[in-house]
Amino acid sequence: SPAIPQQQQQQPPPKGTPGQSNLSMNQTLEGHQGNIMVVTWNEHFRKLTTSDQNGLIIVWMLHRGIWFEEMINNRNRSVVRDMKWTPDGQKICIVYEDGAVIVGTVDGQRLWGREVKTQLAFVEWSPDSKNILFCTLTGEVHVYDNEGIYSHKVAIHCLDEGTHTNVPVAGIQWYDGHRGPEPTVPALAIAFENGRVQLMRCDTDDRPILLDTQMKCSALRWSPSGTAVTIAGMQAQGETTGEGGSMREVGVVQFYSPMGQHLRTLRVPGHSLKAISWDGAGLRIALAVDSHIFFANIRPDYLAAYFSHTLVYAVLKKERNEYAVIFWDTRRDERYTKYIKKLLHVKAGEDYCVLATKTEEAAEQHILIVCNDIGSPVQSQYLTIEPLHVCMTSSHVMAASEDTVYIWQYRSSLPSRGGVAGVGDTLTLTATSASTIPPGSASAGLVPQPHRRRVEQMFHIDEYEGGASDKEAFRHPGTVCQDPIACIAASDSCLVVGRESGTVQRYSLPHLALDGKVLIQTRPQVLAVNCASSCMTCIDINGILTLYNIQHRGKGQMGEQLDFERKDVWDMRWASDNPDLFALMEKTRMYVVRGTDPEEPVLSNGYICSFKDLHIQSALIDDLMKNPDSAKKDILLEFDTKSLRDTSDILTKVSNLKDAFTYVEENPHPRLWRLLAEAALDQLELSVAEKAFVRYEEYQGIQFVKRLRMLDDKVKQKAEVAAYFQRFDEAEHLYFDIDRKDLALDLRIKLGDWFRVIQLTQGGAGAGASEILHRAYSEIGDYYADRGKWLQASQYYAKAGNNAALVEAYYLLEDYEKLRGMIDALPEGDPLLAELGRRLTTVGLCEAAVGAFLRVGDVKAAVDSCVILNQWDLAVDLAEKHSFQQIETLLAKYAQHLLDKTKKLEAVQLYRRANRHQEAARLLAQVGKTLGPPQFHPDRHKKLHLLAALEVEKYKKKTFDGGGAGGTNITAQTLNSLITQDQTMLMAGDKSLENPWRGVEAYHVYMLAQKQLFDGPTCVYLYVYVVFVCASSMEAALRSCIRLADYEDHLDVQTIYSLLALTAYYTKFFQQASKAFIKLEASPDIPKATRQKYEDLALAIFTKHPPRDPASRMLPCPRCNTPIADWTVICPHCSYRLPFCVASGRPIFKKYLTPEAASSLAASASNAVEPAASETIQCKTCKHRMYASEARRLRHCPFCHSLLVHKYVS
């Protein structure tokens, strides 16, 4: 009957000490009548399934603390050989020896059954529950789907030819867990009784990993994490027993990695090892040996390391499919987490750690990343080999594949010129990696220096005669290594490489010279070298630790095995400051060994982190991995060596320090001398303290003793000693006892305890006390500022009168009102005002910033602040008020900025304010071209051309005024300015600005003609258009349209001549209409269909009306006196272009009057006398004229819209 063990509820043992097995039998499950043959466990539903030799199957479940039978099945025809639940626990497959197969559910429902025509031995589900693997008694493995349909046979590669059907299967298991970032790792393990094992990635893997365990296998199991496969069986030993001479067999458990690497061998006493099982946490295995159950503790090789008070460890996050690498600062209890996809190794040196990862870009490329104690990458290098083994020292990182060793000198180990190793160390980098050094690494000794030696070296383990090569120059020989590398280790001055045959090769660093070889009887698993590179420890594949002399020159023979051996060792570490001390973990005990003499052990389960100053730090990483995201400090353990404990006891119990001095002389160590010196100081035994400091080689301690001897007061000496041991309150009380408040105050100032300084200073008188108080307030403000508590910092800065720091505090608090208040509080001319102005500028407070700059007298900075904040009005006012001459340049720059953002009209305004009239005119002309045809918004066209013309006039005036006034040279300067202006305009590429008023005239006449044509109530129908026409304005409209024909360079042909044809038709000027229709019909810019319509319309009109104009009033040409029609634009005799009245559009026929008559007319105008019809008025702004009779009711010029000043021109 099966027995269910249960953990006993006992008082938990102290932290770090191993617990008992905590197992006891609490219930015997009765129900079977024969031997139990198969037992399987359903993890998801917590059910136990058992079967006996009679074929009876019972499913047990736990209810209220008692196990009882839930289901029973008995086929009564054959024996059950194996049972397996699916990974999700929903289905169970039962196989019988006669080939019967039954698949059912967890509720007892039968899904299907099948008779396989062969005898069966084992069954296994695939991780996705889609396939079932059946193992036959003849050693074959068949694959069926989950419906019982045959699929294929698994190829067996591990057996020799001819033995495929003769070797039974000993065990099969397909790991169903999550592999993490590397899904291609083998998960299907098949073991045969002859010791052959194959590890497959899937059931069709044609390149499995083959193993030969050299034993008779009986069981096989994967660890819960899938990182190791355990194979159990019996192995024959080399010695014979009894008269028959038969070889003795012992139980053996071998551990392999998923890639086939042999991890460890465990030997078990007994005659028959039948079964093996892992616990859920993967920290123990149970072995069925004869009639006993053995339990073995498993110590996983975690991805963890310790350096510089930082414990770094990696945890696989299955939901993210990557590793979380946690850097835990054990002093400050702070954690920094980094995520890495494919992490392989975590190793640590003195101040840094190295992470070995596999890149995702290239399948054969790996990377080594050196990180500091907060997880920030300091340096990295790519590898072309697979780093199966990695180690790290204070200056080197070593990695090794099966046959190649890589050495990276990430930091020089040579001392600087100062003479102290490790101080001022420099890093020699390759050219490709020098740029990756982060800022601030100079203090850590990680600054690139010129090349002094090769930084990256590689060599093949079998071909070292030529020495190591640069990484770039190394070429693999291409041969397969028959003796692969098993492990590596290093110290600051040597590297040791262990091979599977037991050969250990020693190389000196940093030059990599082969010093010798050490022969070990078994395969080495873990190597370690002491700090002097004189001794080496080796933990072999069986867990046996041995000690070897590897000193190249000195006492003993190279490779000599010392008289020291320990079994079942799973961890060890050399002391970093003593070559004779090391600590080892043997089962659940920790031993400290001095030379070859072990001290009394202490109980511990922790992994050793560091061993220094006779002090050992270890960590319960097993407990840490149960809750890795919230580690507590109680998992950290600390131990002292026996000599340190004994010395502490002597100093505590014995008053005479001579005995302690004698004991330390017999067991010398710097830590012990330091303890003795501190105890002597505490008792004011200055002579003993001085001797101890001399032995400890601490110069500061020797000087401190000398200073104590110079003090004449014992109380002062005690106070100084108390301060030396950081008992500051005690030292302060001692100073108060002798009424030396000044010494207590000096002590607190040295300590930076400014709160206490304020308490001691308050109530004091004198300038010195006030100065100390202000300094204390300022220092406390700095204290809060360093921690980001700016509100408290500002309060103390205000008390201290530290205005510079107060500005910083208010700025970070965003208290801008108080920043404004400081402008008036600071004295005028204070340099801090400039900084205050810059701070206010950054937050957009322009007026306040200007006020600060003006109080310090920096007008340029004030103007710059306005420019930065786009306060151009204020900038111009400041420039004008303070005669600042550079504002035009700044405005022009801002205008270019607006142009880049296509804000042309805003740029025009800035150009005008910057007196850049030429650029403003050009921009206005460009904007006018983007408005489209003149039919749409002709008023906007006119406005833009008018503004451009006015800017050109300003440019001319500026040019003329800049030429000076110099008598006879005025005419020459004016002509020169005009020529320069014309050349500039032409170079600008805009010919429309050569005569800027012409565009204004074109749109003005167009709008005037439209107004005259459509101003009236009469309705006339023409073709398809409805036109409202006033007969009284027709002639005026005709005059304007005829003049409009002179502006084809600004208006299109269709717009001009369609309007002229319409006007001429209604005024019966059919000759002018005929000319307009000819233009419309011949223009290539008009679509052909539209031109055809014009031809049809012209034909309809001129078949009724001949192309003749009616008689017109004739007036003399102002130049040649030839009579011409009053609507003429250009005289046909002298080609004189008649000006026109901008109010009516009529041509101006000017009379020649004497100046006296013109003055008389002007006088009559001032007396409200109606001017003559031929008199004209000229606008001072645009210089265009109009008849006085048309302008008598106008206050503004109809052309440029400026205010009119009635100046009559003859």
Side-chain angles (χ1 to χ4, degrees):
S1 299
I4 301 298
Q6 186 181 20
Q7 291 190 358
Q8 294 179 343
Q9 302 297 326
Q10 299 178 353
Q11 189 70 19
K15 278 288 182 181
T17 60
Q20 303 298 322
S21 63
N22 294 333
L23 295 175
S24 64
M25 186 177 66
N26 67 335
Q27 184 179 352
T28 300
L29 307 183
E30 298 179 355
H32 288 287
Q33 302 299 322
N35 295 332
I36 305 298
M37 305 296 291
V38 182
V39 177
T40 185
W41 173 253
N42 189 326
E43 177 65 26
H44 285 77
F45 293 91
R46 317 293 294 175
K47 293 184 179 182
L48 178 68
T49 308
T50 58
S51 176
D52 59 21
Q53 65 183 18
N54 301 319
L56 176 64
I57 302 174
I58 301 178
V59 179
W60 309 85
M61 67 175 296
L62 181 66
H63 181 66
R64 295 182 179 179
I66 299 176
W67 291 87
F68 67 93
E69 301 173 0
E70 183 187 19
M71 291 177 285
I72 297 178
N73 180 32
N74 193 352
R75 184 165 169 265
N76 288 325
R77 292 177 59 184
S78 181
V79 179
V80 175
R81 293 304 302 261
D82 198 9
M83 299 181 293
K84 288 291 175 63
W85 291 93
T86 57
D88 58 3
Q90 295 289 341
K91 301 177 184 178
I92 188 172
C93 182
I94 306 171
V95 297
Y96 292 84
E97 187 176 0
D98 61 358
V101 178
I102 299 176
V103 175
T105 65
V106 68
D107 299 328
Q109 180 182 0
R110 177 170 175 166
L111 296 178
W112 57 268
R114 186 173 299 278
E115 295 287 340
V116 180
K117 297 179 181 180
T118 183
Q119 291 182 318
L120 300 179
F122 295 98
V123 64
E124 181 59 277
W125 288 90
S126 64
D128 56 4
S129 303
K130 293 182 178 180
N131 292 319
I132 309 176
L133 279 67
F134 297 118
C135 299
T136 67
L137 291 179
T138 58
E140 295 180 346
V141 180
H142 297 175
V143 180
Y144 288 72
D145 65 9
N146 56 6
E147 298 294 332
I149 300 175
Y150 177 78
S151 175
H152 59 277
K153 184 186 297 185
V154 176
I156 304 300
H157 299 273
C158 61
L159 299 178
D160 299 331
E161 291 189 15
T163 62
H164 289 182
T165 59
N166 299 328
V167 182
V169 176
I172 181 173
Q173 187 180 10
W174 201 332
Y175 177 70
D176 58 0
H178 191 278
R179 280 294 185 188
E182 196 65 53
T184 59
V185 174
L188 174 60
I190 304 174
F192 294 86
E193 288 187 2
N194 64 353
R196 302 292 181 88
V197 181
Q198 70 180 35
L199 306 178
M200 308 176 69
R201 295 165 182 83
C202 61
D203 54 349
T204 58
D205 188 3
D206 58 351
R207 299 183 64 184
I209 296 175
L210 308 181
L211 305 177
D212 187 359
T213 61
Q214 299 292 327
M215 65 180 181
K216 183 179 180 181
C217 295
S218 58
L220 174 146
R221 282 292 181 272
W222 282 103
S223 67
S225 62
T227 57
V229 59
T230 311
I231 304 169
M234 303 300 292
Q235 189 176 58
Q237 297 295 317
E239 58 188 39
T240 58
T241 59
E243 297 179 357
S246 60
M247 301 181 68
R248 185 172 63 92
E249 289 187 342
V250 295
V252 175
V253 181
Q254 295 186 4
F255 298 82
Y256 291 88
S257 71
M259 301 306 295
Q261 181 183 1
H262 192 181
L263 301 177
R264 185 61 67 93
T265 298
L266 174 65
R267 302 189 183 278
V268 182
H271 300 286
S272 176
L273 175 57
K274 291 295 185 181
I276 184 172
S277 179
W278 286 79
D279 74 343
L283 299 179
R284 286 189 301 182
I285 56 173
L287 307 173
V289 181
D290 299 335
S291 60
H292 305 283
I293 298 178
F294 288 3
F295 292 92
N297 292 325
I298 303 299
R299 296 299 175 191
D301 187 11
Y302 293 107
L303 294 174
Y306 183 85
F307 69 101
S308 185
H309 304 286
T310 300
L311 180 63
V312 53
Y313 55 96
V315 183
L316 177 62
K317 298 293 184 180
K318 295 185 178 181
E319 65 277 3
R320 295 178 59 122
N321 198 28
E322 59 186 353
Y323 285 94
V325 184
I326 302 173
F327 292 79
W328 178 24
D329 188 335
T330 57
R331 279 187 171 179
R332 297 190 293 267
D333 198 20
E334 297 177 353
R335 295 167 185 82
Y336 309 90
T337 303
K338 309 293 179 183
Y339 290 95
I340 297 178
K341 275 285 185 185
K342 300 178 180 180
L343 184 65
L344 302 178
H345 299 279
V346 177
K347 301 296 180 181
E350 183 178 351
D351 299 316
Y352 301 94
C353 72
V354 62
L355 308 178
T357 68
K358 186 177 181 180
T359 60
E360 297 183 8
E361 294 80 9
E364 300 298 328
Q365 199 170 43
H366 298 76
I367 184 172
L368 299 176
I369 307 172
V370 176
C371 301
N372 57 16
D373 53 1
I374 62 173
S376 297
V378 176
Q379 182 62 282
S380 62
Q381 293 291 351
Y382 284 90
L383 293 180
T384 56
I385 63 172
E386 181 181 2
L388 299 177
H389 316 281
V390 177
C391 66
M392 186 180 191
T393 68
S394 60
S395 57
H396 290 78
V397 173
M398 297 81 169
S401 63
E402 289 185 347
D403 54 7
T404 305
V405 180
Y406 166 85
I407 300 95
W408 170 28
Q409 185 179 358
Y410 71 95
R411 189 172 68 172
S412 174
S413 60
L414 296 178
S416 63
R417 292 187 179 182
V420 182
V423 179
D425 291 350
T426 57
L427 176 65
T428 309
L429 299 173
T430 60
T432 57
S433 62
S435 61
T436 61
I437 292 294
S441 299
S443 60
L446 295 173
V447 180
Q449 298 291 329
H451 284 273
R452 293 194 300 269
R453 60 179 61 87
R454 290 180 294 187
V455 175
E456 295 179 272
Q457 301 180 70
M458 297 180 69
F459 66 89
H460 192 274
I461 193 66
D462 290 331
E463 300 181 4
Y464 190 76
E465 289 75 8
S469 306
D470 287 337
K471 185 177 77 170
E472 292 78 9
F474 175 77
R475 296 293 181 271
H476 193 279
T479 58
V480 178
C481 182
Q482 300 299 324
D483 187 9
I485 297 174
C487 54
I488 60 174
S491 66
D492 289 339
S493 59
C494 83
L495 165 69
V496 290
V497 180
R499 308 179 71 171
E500 291 186 359
S501 63
T503 302
V504 179
Q505 300 173 194
R506 183 191 192 277
Y507 302 87
S508 62
L509 292 177
H511 305 291
L512 281 180
L514 180 60
D515 297 331
K517 297 182 180 181
V518 178
L519 186 59
I520 299 175
Q521 298 300 322
T522 57
R523 173 183 168 181
Q525 183 74 13
V526 179
L527 297 176
V529 182
N530 66 355
C531 59
S533 303
S534 58
C535 285
M536 177 188 72
T537 55
C538 172
I539 303 176
D540 63 18
I541 201 72
N542 298 313
I544 299 175
L545 183 142
T546 50
L547 188 63
Y548 297 88
N549 176 24
I550 61 169
Q551 195 166 6
H552 184 48
R553 297 181 181 88
K555 299 180 180 179
Q557 183 180 358
M558 172 74 173
E560 177 187 0
Q561 182 176 352
L562 304 181
D563 187 15
F564 183 83
E565 181 177 301
R566 306 295 296 192
K567 296 181 179 180
D568 299 325
V569 177
W570 53 273
D571 192 17
M572 69 83 52
R573 183 174 293 270
W574 285 94
S576 61
D577 56 354
N578 191 324
D580 294 329
L581 287 177
F582 65 92
L584 62 90
M585 297 299 303
E586 180 182 306
K587 293 185 178 179
T588 58
R589 292 177 175 83
M590 182 178 70
Y591 290 86
V592 176
V593 181
R594 182 185 294 272
T596 57
D597 300 325
E599 297 179 358
E600 295 179 2
V602 293
L603 295 178
S604 175
N605 273 336
Y607 288 74
I608 302 174
C609 295
S610 67
F611 188 4
K612 186 177 182 181
D613 282 343
L614 304 179
H615 183 75
I616 302 171
Q617 288 182 303
S618 62
L620 300 175
I621 302 184
D622 294 336
D623 296 342
L624 175 65
M625 291 301 173
K626 295 177 182 177
N627 193 7
D629 296 327
S630 58
K632 298 181 180 179
K633 284 192 174 182
D634 57 359
I635 69 162
L636 302 175
L637 309 176
E638 297 185 356
F639 302 94
D640 293 332
T641 62
K642 183 176 183 299
S643 58
L644 182 59
R645 295 195 302 268
D646 293 345
T647 304
S648 300
D649 291 341
I650 293 174
L651 293 176
T652 303
K653 298 177 182 178
V654 179
S655 59
N656 187 4
L657 294 180
K658 293 183 179 180
D659 296 337
F661 191 88
T662 303
Y663 178 81
V664 175
E665 275 190 322
E666 294 174 355
N667 301 274
H669 192 275
R671 176 74 182 275
L672 301 182
W673 287 117
R674 189 180 70 190
L675 281 178
L676 179 60
E678 292 173 354
L681 281 178
D682 213 13
Q683 299 180 20
L684 294 182
E685 294 286 346
L686 301 184
S687 58
V688 177
E690 185 176 21
K691 293 179 181 179
F693 276 127
V694 170
R695 297 291 185 92
Y696 184 46
E697 298 180 0
E698 185 178 352
Y699 179 75
Q700 292 83 357
I702 299 172
Q703 295 299 315
F704 179 68
V705 172
K706 290 183 178 180
R707 289 200 306 272
L708 289 179
R709 285 175 172 168
M710 295 174 63
L711 299 176
D712 53 354
D713 191 343
K714 289 285 186 181
V715 179
K716 287 184 181 180
Q717 290 180 342
K718 289 183 178 180
E720 289 292 331
V721 171
Y724 179 82
F725 290 122
Q726 299 184 2
R727 303 195 299 265
F728 304 115
D729 292 338
E730 179 184 343
E732 181 180 314
H733 288 307
L734 290 172
Y735 284 133
F736 276 111
D737 290 343
I738 59 176
D739 197 19
R740 291 301 301 271
K741 182 179 178 180
D742 58 328
L743 295 179
L745 188 60
D746 290 341
L747 173 64
R748 292 298 177 179
I749 291 175
K750 291 178 181 178
L751 294 176
D753 189 358
W754 299 105
F755 291 100
R756 183 59 180 163
V757 169
I758 292 176
Q759 295 176 359
L760 296 177
T761 308
Q762 285 178 344
S770 177
E771 182 180 350
I772 293 175
L773 196 60
H774 281 81
R775 180 187 174 190
Y777 283 133
S778 185
E779 293 288 349
I780 293 175
D782 292 340
Y783 168 83
Y784 284 118
D786 292 340
R787 287 153 182 79
K789 299 179 180 180
W790 292 103
L791 181 59
Q792 296 90 328
S794 64
Q795 296 171 357
Y796 281 98
Y797 285 145
K799 292 179 180 180
N802 190 345
N803 292 324
L806 197 58
V807 168
E808 176 75 13
Y810 287 155
Y811 178 76
L812 294 174
L813 286 172
E814 300 181 3
D815 193 346
Y816 304 125
E817 291 298 326
K818 290 185 178 179
L819 280 179
R820 287 193 185 98
M822 291 192 67
I823 297 175
D824 298 327
L826 293 174
E828 191 169 348
D830 192 333
L832 186 58
L833 286 168
E835 177 62 23
L836 184 57
R838 286 190 288 270
R839 294 298 179 96
L840 292 171
T841 300
T842 60
V843 295
L845 300 177
C846 183
E847 294 182 0
V850 168
F853 285 127
L854 292 180
R855 279 183 61 83
V856 81
D858 193 348
V859 179
K860 183 180 182 301
V863 174
D864 290 342
S865 176
C866 296
V867 172
I868 292 171
L869 300 176
N870 296 329
Q871 299 293 326
W872 297 98
D873 295 336
L874 185 55
V876 172
D877 294 340
L878 286 174
E880 293 175 352
K881 184 177 180 180
H882 297 278
S883 301
F884 188 71
Q885 299 298 326
Q886 300 177 4
I887 189 63
E888 291 186 9
T889 304
L890 296 174
L891 287 172
K893 290 181 179 179
Y894 183 62
Q896 185 60 42
H897 172 71
L898 292 175
L899 288 177
D900 295 339
K901 293 186 176 181
T902 66
K903 296 181 179 181
K904 292 186 178 181
L905 291 179
E906 290 85 347
V908 167
Q909 294 293 337
L910 284 175
Y911 275 134
R912 293 179 63 195
R913 301 188 65 175
N915 294 325
R916 305 286 289 272
H917 305 295
Q918 183 182 0
E919 287 82 355
R922 187 182 300 109
L923 275 180
L924 286 168
Q926 293 176 5
V927 174
K929 293 177 180 179
T930 62
L931 292 181
Q935 296 90 340
F936 303 101
H937 307 294
D939 53 339
R940 295 184 183 177
H941 282 275
K942 179 188 173 183
K943 289 177 183 179
L944 290 172
H945 282 83
L946 177 60
L947 289 173
L950 292 174
E951 290 300 315
V952 172
E953 292 298 324
K954 291 179 182 179
Y955 173 73
K956 290 179 180 179
K957 186 176 182 301
K958 179 181 177 182
T959 305
F960 298 157
D961 294 344
T968 58
N969 294 328
I970 293 178
T971 303
Q973 292 171 353
T974 303
L975 292 174
N976 187 29
S977 298
L978 290 173
I979 294 171
T980 304
Q981 171 196 357
D982 291 340
Q983 290 177 347
T984 304
M985 291 295 184
L986 289 173
M987 289 177 64
D990 196 345
K991 294 186 178 181
S992 63
L993 296 179
E994 296 178 22
N995 188 3
W997 292 107
R998 183 168 175 79
V1000 188
E1001 292 171 357
Y1003 289 101
H1004 176 75
V1005 174
Y1006 175 69
M1007 294 170 62
L1008 183 62
Q1010 294 277 4
K1011 181 177 183 298
Q1012 292 168 343
L1013 178 61
F1014 296 102
D1015 186 10
T1018 304
C1019 182
V1020 180
Y1021 291 88
L1022 175 63
Y1023 196 50
V1024 293
Y1025 301 96
V1026 181
V1027 183
F1028 294 89
V1029 181
C1030 179
S1032 61
S1033 61
M1034 277 298 169
E1035 293 183 2
L1038 178 63
R1039 296 188 189 97
S1040 299
C1041 290
I1042 292 174
R1043 182 165 294 276
L1044 194 62
D1046 194 34
Y1047 297 101
E1048 291 186 16
D1049 54 340
H1050 284 79
L1051 300 173
D1052 59 279
V1053 173
Q1054 187 175 9
T1055 299
I1056 296 173
Y1057 291 100
S1058 61
L1059 185 59
L1060 177 57
L1062 182 64
T1063 308
Y1065 174 79
Y1066 286 112
T1067 56
K1068 302 188 184 305
F1069 279 72
F1070 294 109
Q1071 184 178 359
Q1072 300 300 324
S1074 176
K1075 293 179 180 180
F1077 274 109
I1078 291 173
K1079 277 283 190 180
L1080 292 171
E1081 295 170 11
S1083 176
D1085 298 330
I1086 301 175
K1088 186 176 180 180
T1090 307
R1091 292 203 304 267
Q1092 184 62 43
K1093 290 182 180 181
Y1094 283 131
E1095 291 178 7
D1096 297 342
L1097 181 59
L1099 182 62
I1101 292 174
F1102 296 116
T1103 54
K1104 297 180 181 180
H1105 307 285
R1108 291 194 297 270
D1109 293 338
S1112 300
R1113 189 174 55 154
M1114 306 298 289
L1115 294 174
C1117 173
R1119 175 177 292 180
C1120 64
N1121 290 326
T1122 303
I1124 56 177
D1126 62 351
W1127 46 262
T1128 304
V1129 176
I1130 300 175
C1131 176
H1133 297 85
C1134 64
S1135 300
Y1136 174 70
R1137 184 183 299 273
L1138 278 77
F1140 69 98
C1141 171
V1142 295
S1144 63
R1146 290 185 293 154
I1148 295 177
F1149 293 87
K1150 183 171 60 172
K1151 292 195 308 181
Y1152 289 89
L1153 301 178
T1154 61
E1156 291 79 4
S1159 299
S1160 176
L1161 286 173
S1164 66
S1166 63
N1167 292 325
V1169 178
E1170 187 70 23
S1174 61
E1175 294 170 0
T1176 61
I1177 295 175
Q1178 185 181 44
C1179 177
K1180 284 188 175 182
T1181 301
C1182 63
K1183 302 299 187 294
H1184 284 71
R1185 291 184 289 170
M1186 66 200 80
Y1187 284 110
S1189 59
E1190 300 287 346
R1192 63 179 178 267
R1193 290 187 179 90
L1194 298 177
R1195 295 180 57 86
H1196 295 84
C1197 174
F1199 187 76
C1200 67
H1201 310 287
S1202 60
L1203 186 64
L1204 278 178
V1205 178
H1206 288 205
K1207 177 181 178 183
Y1208 299 101
V1209 180
S1210 57

